[in-house]
Amino acid sequence: MPVPPIDAALLRREAESYEARAVVEPARTRGLRLVLSLIDLTTLEGGDTTQYVRALCRWARAPGPGVGLPPVAAVCVYPVFVATARAALIGSPVRVASVAGAFPAGQSPIDVRAAEVAAAVSAGADEIDFVINRGVFLAGRRRQVREEIRVLCHAAGAATVKVILETGELGDADVIREACDLVLDAASSARGAMTDGAVFLKTSTGKIAIGATMPSTLVLIAAIRDHVRATGVRVGLKPAGGIRTPDQALAYLVMVRETLGESWLRPELLRFGASSLARSIVATITRSEVPS
Amino acid sequence: MTGEAPAWALTPTQVAADIEIASRQRLFIGGRFVTPRSRRHRDVVAPATGMTLTRLTDASGADVDAAITAATAAQRGWTRSARLTPLLRLADRIERDPTLAILATRETGRPIRAATGVDTPLAARITRFNAGWADKLSHLVRGGNAPRSAGVVVVLVSGHAALLRVLWAVTPALAAGCPCVVKPSPHATLACLRLAEIARGADLPPGVLNVVTGGVKTGEALMTHAGARLIVISGRHATCRRACQGAAARTSPVVAEPRTPLTHVVFEDAALDQAVEAIVAGPEASPLASAGLGIRLLVQEPVREEVTARLLDRLRARRVGDPLDANTDIGPLPATHHAVAIDDMLESVRTAGGVVRTGGDPTVPRPDGGGHWCPPHLVTDVPAPDALAHAEAGGPFWFMDTFRTTAEATTLAGDARALAVWSDKSARLFAVTETLAATTVWANTLPQIDPAAAGMAGVRRFLR
């Protein structure tokens, strides 16, 4: 059955209804701790150094030392820092994620992209975040996009893949939905029998002005839900880019809980891609837990 | 589902709602609260707690007479030049008044989130829109002669969305120069009494807006009073019909605004997720269109399974609980007799082979006490004509039937007065809207009633 159209105005309205939920204590602190454990702590700057990545990994293992906060889900870095992160995270549950495959535009020859993905995996990455080539997708060359996704999934081997749609460049909700379905279809065929959480849909690179929004994330959620209904396989969700404040993150948590359900609220199926969110959550929790 | 999923649920909240409610309510006649002549009264039971909230007077013939007399006396001073400013001020005061929402929540069980976020802004909008007629009446008729007002108007309103329905009738009447006597349902009077108080604060002259309380007998006394020039009745279909049948014996005309169940027609090419969202949010987000009754769905065969699955998903996430909790979507059933009507309805649905499935977020606690709680239900396999009758029982119920062709859809929806159509093809939308007898049709949108859409029809009925 063809995918039904999406009404953008009503989509926004639905997103607002989740934002309007009141999250009060103790649900608030519990929710923030949960969000913290779902964060892909990310650094993707031209100025990144091994020293900085090492320090970030130290922090990721024990955010806000002394207050007993859970470690984040993963540290997300460029491929050249995978080995550094791997070494710095030995003995911790924090996973190593790497962007690869010509991040953030994907505008490189596909064998070069695949080689980069394979290199990141062999350097020790547990998870690969790669982009779809929006230029090719928006030009209508769906078959090529599908083929590229298949190649990149193969290159990633057993690593979890998070496919970045860059929703801010796709524009329309209908186009985003089409991209979601294409990605899920390509990834399923590439991975054969897909397992829960082996593939994630990720909204954005964080490198353009429009990152994750609640309405665009709702489109991903609908695609994931329909995929589960059709195949029984649960796909992960990663909103990324622009989620900076604890309240924003809680609104996403409410939205995922009310749409995909409570079973999605774990790192195997839900991640937040963020660089500054983790620190502001730690600041918020430590502030509220300081004895008066 | 794995059992190791981290449990995270919202913590119950409580909106600060400690406002004083007098143990005995008086009547608002001639610009002040007066002690009623009647000695008869009844208890108002809060639906969320089952506790007595206050006591209402069953206004007697003498009380009704006093109210109509006060209204008649106010007619002369309620001149065209005097109307606009206080009515606009009333709209502003309504907008800023938090107690209207709190009173409705405590008395009727309407979730505070909807009462504050939907009802109060809409109440202000209705008032402001109709206030605007006050200085434009002479433009309503050809020739430019200023029309005369119809005289004293009696407004009888049923329990659901009472304040909005009162304002829907009263504000155009006041703008047209008609003083009003309002009798809301005994299950929803507190917000209306508060409205009268706000109107006084907005400098509406004494006697222009009067509120009496009571049940059927008080309503009869109002309708048969010789001073009542026009009667507006807004309630269930049966109530309105009874009132209209009785009208032959009286001299004053009756305007009936029956509450009828909302029908959604969902075509296979519709934006299904958004349609489902609007269908589920209906009772909360569109109080006037959904009318506090069950909602009927007509779904095209090919998407029957899709829509059922999506509806159930969304209904499972609905939060049923304390209406004063800011996160509650569905409050308690409004009054005890609704619970009985719902049991009867479910009984007859099951006998006829209907399938009943329930929703509601199980992590949401229900307050202890005597409240009647009803999770949202999806009823499938009930023929569409029966669903219309079932929906009259009220409560959070969605009744689904299917159709195959546009012609079938129009036939099945033919008796619906309020209709929402969902399709991506404009040709289908037009085909359905043109062949139906519905008074209001929404296409691909949340069924919200807008005062501006009623236009001049709202005010015209109060002019001669």
Side-chain angles (χ1 to χ4, degrees):
Chain A
M1 161 170 170
V3 177
I6 298 168
D7 185 316
L10 289 167
L11 195 68
R12 274 197 301 279
R13 197 195 163 276
E14 184 186 348
E16 282 161 14
S17 78
Y18 302 121
E19 273 174 305
R21 293 272 191 229
V23 187
V24 299
E25 295 297 352
R28 188 176 153 77
T29 297
R30 279 194 202 134
L32 290 179
R33 292 178 71 101
L34 177 57
V35 170
L36 190 62
S37 73
L38 299 173
I39 287 178
D40 282 1
L41 190 63
T42 304
T43 182
L44 297 171
E45 298 303 327
D48 286 348
T49 60
T50 45
Q51 286 86 344
Y52 179 72
V53 169
R54 249 182 239 128
L56 193 73
C57 291
R58 245 193 329 272
W59 193 88
R61 299 172 71 138
V67 285
L69 291 172
V72 300
V75 168
C76 182
V77 293
Y78 274 121
V80 287
F81 299 110
V82 168
T84 309
R86 178 79 282 160
L89 290 170
I90 280 175
S92 90
V94 180
R95 290 161 65 89
V96 178
S98 172
V99 295
F103 180 90
Q107 301 271 30
S108 289
I110 185 62
D111 44 346
V112 175
R113 296 179 67 195
E116 195 190 9
V117 168
V121 172
S122 61
D126 304 303
E127 307 176 350
I128 299 293
D129 292 28
F130 68 78
V131 295
I132 63 165
N133 185 331
R134 281 88 64 194
V136 174
F137 177 79
L138 291 172
R141 301 210 296 274
R142 307 286 194 259
R143 189 177 301 171
Q144 185 184 337
V145 181
R146 191 186 310 264
E147 178 58 19
E148 288 186 7
I149 293 168
R150 211 182 54 76
V151 169
L152 294 175
C153 283
H154 273 303
T160 300
V161 299
K162 302 184 208 124
V163 185
I164 306 168
L165 303 165
E166 196 69 301
T167 52
E169 282 182 358
L170 300 182
D172 270 10
D174 290 299
V175 180
I176 297 174
R177 177 60 198 255
E178 197 190 335
C180 290
D181 288 347
L182 191 146
V183 166
L184 291 177
D185 185 45
S188 307
S189 72
R191 303 220 121 175
M194 213 161 75
T195 52
D196 284 0
V199 174
F200 275 66
L201 289 181
K202 177 175 169 183
T203 58
S204 318
T205 60
K207 292 291 175 195
I208 64 164
I210 306 168
T213 62
M214 302 250 306
S216 61
T217 307
L218 265 176
V219 178
L220 272 62
I221 286 174
I224 291 171
R225 186 205 48 209
D226 290 349
H227 185 78
V228 178
R229 208 168 271 153
T231 65
V233 177
R234 292 196 264 187
V235 173
L237 172 73
K238 181 175 172 185
I243 305 171
R244 292 191 185 86
T245 68
D247 286 332
Q248 272 179 304
L250 287 172
Y252 276 89
L253 207 59
V254 167
M255 178 166 77
V256 173
R257 183 178 182 277
E258 288 189 33
T259 49
L260 292 171
E262 198 164 313
S263 63
W264 248 263
L265 304 185
R266 55 195 172 103
E268 292 79 21
L269 290 170
L270 179 62
R271 297 291 176 84
F272 288 93
S275 45
S276 62
L277 176 65
R279 281 176 202 279
S280 51
I281 286 179
V282 169
T284 307
I285 295 179
T286 30
R287 212 181 306 132
S288 66
E289 283 187 355
V290 165
S292 51
Chain B
M1 299 277 145
T2 51
E4 68 212 73
W8 183 69
L10 293 178
T11 307
T13 69
Q14 261 241 331
V15 170
D18 281 335
I19 51 172
E20 199 154 320
I21 298 176
S23 59
R24 176 91 192 257
Q25 299 295 319
R26 293 187 290 175
L27 309 176
F28 193 88
I29 294 172
R32 60 196 184 90
F33 283 104
V34 299
T35 310
R37 312 258 176 88
S38 165
R39 292 264 162 260
R40 297 169 59 88
H41 44 73
R42 63 174 76 202
D43 289 345
V44 174
V45 176
T49 59
M51 310 265 276
T52 301
L53 201 59
T54 179
R55 281 167 127 191
L56 287 185
T57 300
D58 269 347
S60 65
D63 293 317
V64 163
D65 193 51
I68 301 248
T69 307
T72 313
Q75 171 92 66
R76 184 173 279 274
W78 190 230
T79 58
R80 256 188 295 161
S81 56
R83 293 173 209 157
L84 181 66
T85 312
L87 286 175
L88 286 173
R89 203 180 289 134
L90 175 62
D92 293 345
R93 299 274 168 104
I94 288 172
E95 203 159 41
R96 288 198 301 263
D97 190 300
T99 63
L100 284 170
I102 292 169
L103 287 169
T105 297
R106 292 185 61 183
E107 189 186 15
T108 69
R110 173 99 168 133
I112 189 77
R113 163 181 156 105
T116 319
V118 178
D119 299 358
T120 302
L122 182 54
R125 212 162 69 228
I126 292 170
T127 308
R128 195 168 289 127
F129 175 81
N130 285 317
W133 292 119
D135 61 349
K136 300 170 189 71
L137 291 176
S138 53
H139 300 286
L140 283 183
V141 284
R142 273 172 214 276
N145 289 327
R148 292 194 301 143
S149 82
V152 173
V153 172
V154 162
V155 178
L156 304 171
V157 169
S158 65
H160 180 261
L163 180 71
L164 292 174
R165 282 166 193 278
V166 163
L167 288 168
W168 191 266
V170 160
T171 52
L174 291 177
C178 306
C180 295
V181 180
V182 179
K183 188 202 80 70
S185 149
H187 302 297
T189 54
L190 298 186
C192 295
L193 286 167
R194 173 74 188 127
L195 173 71
E197 209 176 341
I198 297 172
R200 180 174 60 186
D203 294 333
L204 255 78
V208 161
L209 178 62
N210 308 280
V211 180
V212 298
T213 59
V216 177
K217 278 196 172 161
T218 309
E220 287 290 328
L222 278 165
M223 283 198 285
T224 50
H225 198 285
R229 298 288 171 219
L230 184 69
I231 291 150
V232 180
I233 180 157
S234 173
R236 279 169 195 257
H237 215 265
T239 319
C240 289
R241 196 160 45 223
R242 252 197 326 273
C244 291
Q245 278 158 359
R250 292 187 299 272
T251 48
S252 41
V254 175
V255 177
E257 297 191 319
R259 289 201 283 143
T260 55
L262 174 66
T263 299
H264 286 273
V265 177
V266 183
F267 283 95
E268 59 175 335
D269 60 348
L272 293 184
D273 280 319
Q274 285 73 51
V276 162
E277 194 58 33
I279 288 166
V280 167
E284 182 195 13
S286 34
L288 286 173
S290 58
L293 304 171
I295 290 170
R296 185 170 67 150
L297 313 172
L298 295 171
V299 179
Q300 202 165 14
E301 279 286 354
V303 291
R304 170 211 182 100
E305 298 302 322
E306 303 272 328
V307 172
T308 309
R310 282 158 212 245
L311 264 173
L312 281 171
D313 266 359
R314 293 302 291 133
L315 289 179
R316 279 191 201 109
R318 292 271 106 180
R319 305 174 63 85
V320 183
D322 182 1
L324 283 170
D325 186 326
N327 290 321
T328 290
D329 298 319
I330 299 171
L333 289 176
T336 323
H337 69 264
H338 277 193
V340 180
I342 283 167
D343 288 343
D344 291 349
M345 181 272 292
L346 278 177
E347 174 85 36
S348 76
V349 161
R350 291 210 171 93
T351 318
V355 180
V356 182
R357 277 170 284 198
T358 54
D361 184 337
T363 65
V364 178
R366 308 258 166 87
D368 301 330
H372 291 270
W373 308 93
C374 180
H377 288 71
L378 177 65
V379 183
T380 53
D381 302 284
V382 281
D386 297 354
L388 213 54
H390 293 322
E392 289 275 349
F397 284 82
W398 284 260
F399 301 91
M400 192 168 124
D401 192 13
T402 57
F403 67 90
R404 288 169 299 176
T405 61
T406 308
E408 261 181 34
T410 45
T411 311
L412 287 171
D415 45 3
R417 282 162 172 266
L419 189 84
V421 193
W422 299 87
S423 169
D424 210 31
K425 275 204 179 86
S426 42
R428 271 180 173 157
L429 299 175
F430 288 123
V432 173
T433 51
E434 275 173 13
T435 46
L436 283 162
T439 48
T440 317
V441 179
W442 294 268
N444 292 331
T445 187
L446 199 68
Q448 277 168 325
I449 288 183
D450 183 348
M456 293 187 288
V459 71
R460 271 234 166 93
R461 60 172 68 139
F462 300 107
L463 297 168
R464 275 194 296 208

